[in-house]
Amino acid sequence: MSLNTLEEIANYIVSDGKGILAADESNPTCGKRFDSIGVESTEINRRDYREMLFRASGMQDNIGGVILFDETIRQSAEDGTSLVELIKSQGALPGIKVDKGLAPLESSPEETVTQGLDGLDERCKEYVSLGAKFTKWRAVIKISESLPTDECIDANMQALAKYAKIVQSNNMVPMVEPEVLMDGSHTIDQCYEATSKSLRSLFQCLNQEGVNIAGTILKPNMVTSGSTAENQASAQEVAEMTVKCLNENVPSDLPGITFLSGGQSDIDATAHLDAMNKIGGFPWKLSFSYGRALQQPSLKAWLGKEENIPLAQDALSHRALMNKLAANGAWNASLEK
């Protein structure tokens, strides 16, 4: 794959309904997932698990990019092949999470701002040498009666824009992830408002920094009810509100929007994506960048046992195909069983 420009890389990742496998869980997060199936979180076990995912046959044609954690981009498979080469052999591009996590915001300690701009240029140069073609940076926006504050939104979007500029200067595609959290009892309208504000601020900041939008991928939340809200919006309502929000706030020259699943069940994440693509009529590709919603069935099938690897790979392959169909508006629930 000779993908040289930022635009070529970004367009390749979301071509033909392909999406992104988010496998960039930090070691503590990976540890929690492994605890749920009784597997010790060692470097070798984490490597074996991710190697198993990357070798699944359903990676081919369904997955255009894989986001890695710092540990993983340096690892080799059991047979000595680097995991980066393994991903490329499946037709996907390796990416890397580059932010350094969250710190409390001084003016509003309940809220956070993402860290990691210090030394980012040097880290990017190393990641390019390790084979990375794109990067990810996550900002977190909370909703409550008094949140989010404008200060929190603007501080996070300014950091996302500075990050994106540094990444592009190293010839990698930046994924910008302004995640409005599902946590809480808020309505879908409150989520719509917070998401709109965040996206508006984000694209203003990206333009101010001179970021090439056509060489950028957006990884947003969907517009949903809060996870503990009494009234949960239907899949159709989620799709309509999300598409409306994006149409109002996202420029048309952005190549792709790859949603995070953000605590949705694997089937809900697929159903929502499909409903949006059935609405259609937007200028960008709407696809997926799922972690748990792609991996969870695979993790449950694996249980750390070598004899379960084929079952676990089948589970990942199935979810990858279902989400590709959803990214083309061609999924329906009867395909799940």
Side-chain angles (χ1 to χ4, degrees):
M1 289 181 289
S2 63
L3 302 167
N4 300 314
T5 68
L6 296 172
E7 292 88 344
E8 285 171 341
I9 296 166
N11 280 295
Y12 177 83
I13 292 170
V14 293
S15 57
D16 310 319
K18 288 199 286 270
I20 294 167
L21 169 61
D24 60 327
E25 304 85 6
S26 65
N27 291 348
T29 301
C30 203
K32 283 184 202 150
R33 302 235 175 125
F34 279 17
D35 285 346
S36 74
I37 56 164
V39 172
E40 193 185 351
S41 180
T42 63
E43 188 177 340
I44 293 297
N45 284 346
R46 290 190 294 270
R47 191 277 314 269
D48 288 350
Y49 171 64
R50 286 171 171 146
E51 176 184 349
M52 172 185 81
L53 297 178
F54 304 158
R55 287 195 188 277
S57 61
M59 288 276 296
Q60 284 274 1
D61 303 323
N62 301 319
I63 301 295
V66 180
I67 314 170
L68 301 172
F69 187 60
D70 180 80
E71 174 182 88
T72 319
I73 199 171
R74 304 170 191 279
Q75 286 177 321
S76 292
E78 201 172 359
D79 68 3
T81 313
S82 77
L83 293 184
V84 164
E85 286 305 318
L86 179 54
I87 289 164
K88 283 158 58 177
S89 74
Q90 292 277 40
L93 300 180
I96 181 77
K97 166 192 156 82
V98 297
D99 70 65
K100 293 278 193 181
L102 311 173
L105 189 65
E106 272 181 35
S107 61
S108 176
E110 290 172 77
E111 297 180 291
T112 59
V113 64
T114 305
Q115 308 288 291
L117 290 171
D118 289 350
L120 179 59
D121 188 57
E122 293 77 19
R123 296 207 309 283
C124 283
K125 286 176 171 45
E126 185 189 11
Y127 288 137
V128 169
S129 74
L130 292 170
K133 290 289 187 186
F134 70 101
T135 62
K136 188 198 89 164
W137 178 291
R138 174 178 180 248
V140 174
I141 308 295
K142 293 177 185 164
I143 299 179
S144 74
E145 286 311 308
S146 57
L147 305 178
T149 62
D150 291 348
E151 291 80 7
C152 171
I153 289 176
D154 292 342
N156 275 294
M157 302 312 141
Q158 284 160 8
L160 269 169
K162 288 185 163 69
Y163 139 80
K165 186 66 180 170
I166 292 168
V167 167
Q168 287 189 338
S169 71
N170 284 286
N171 205 37
M172 290 186 291
V173 166
M175 283 183 83
V176 288
E177 179 178 357
E179 179 176 5
V180 177
L181 293 178
M182 271 181 87
D183 304 352
S185 57
H186 52 270
T187 64
I188 191 169
D189 293 315
Q190 286 172 287
C191 180
Y192 179 89
E193 190 183 343
T195 304
S196 292
K197 265 188 175 174
S198 300
L199 292 175
R200 221 173 16 250
S201 174
L202 173 62
F203 285 100
Q204 277 173 351
C205 293
L206 290 170
N207 287 330
Q208 282 163 0
E209 289 292 334
V211 172
N212 171 8
I213 302 297
T216 302
I217 290 176
L218 175 65
K219 178 173 179 169
N221 55 285
M222 298 179 193
V223 177
T224 64
S225 314
S227 54
T228 57
E230 281 181 33
N231 295 323
Q232 288 291 324
S234 67
Q236 190 59 29
E237 196 179 354
V238 168
E240 286 170 7
M241 295 279 274
T242 304
V243 168
K244 181 173 188 280
C245 184
L246 296 171
N247 274 324
E248 287 173 356
N249 296 294
V250 178
S252 59
D253 52 344
L254 184 87
I257 297 174
T258 59
F259 291 100
L260 56 94
S261 46
Q264 299 178 39
S265 74
D266 44 354
I267 304 289
D268 282 351
T270 304
H272 288 150
L273 178 62
D274 179 69
M276 286 181 228
N277 280 298
K278 281 187 165 72
I279 293 170
F282 27 76
W284 349 263
K285 291 279 175 55
L286 286 194
S287 191
F288 57 95
S289 177
Y290 295 164
R292 197 166 36 187
L294 273 171
Q295 293 181 38
Q296 191 65 19
S298 195
L299 191 69
K300 282 183 181 162
W302 176 51
L303 300 173
K305 295 178 176 153
E306 198 168 337
E307 64 269 25
N308 292 341
I309 285 175
L311 280 174
Q313 288 176 325
D314 286 350
L316 179 82
S317 295
H318 175 70
R319 289 263 48 86
L321 175 59
M322 292 299 103
N323 285 303
K324 181 188 180 161
L325 291 173
N328 287 315
W331 175 85
N332 68 70
S334 68
L335 298 167
E336 291 293 350
K337 281 290 170 272

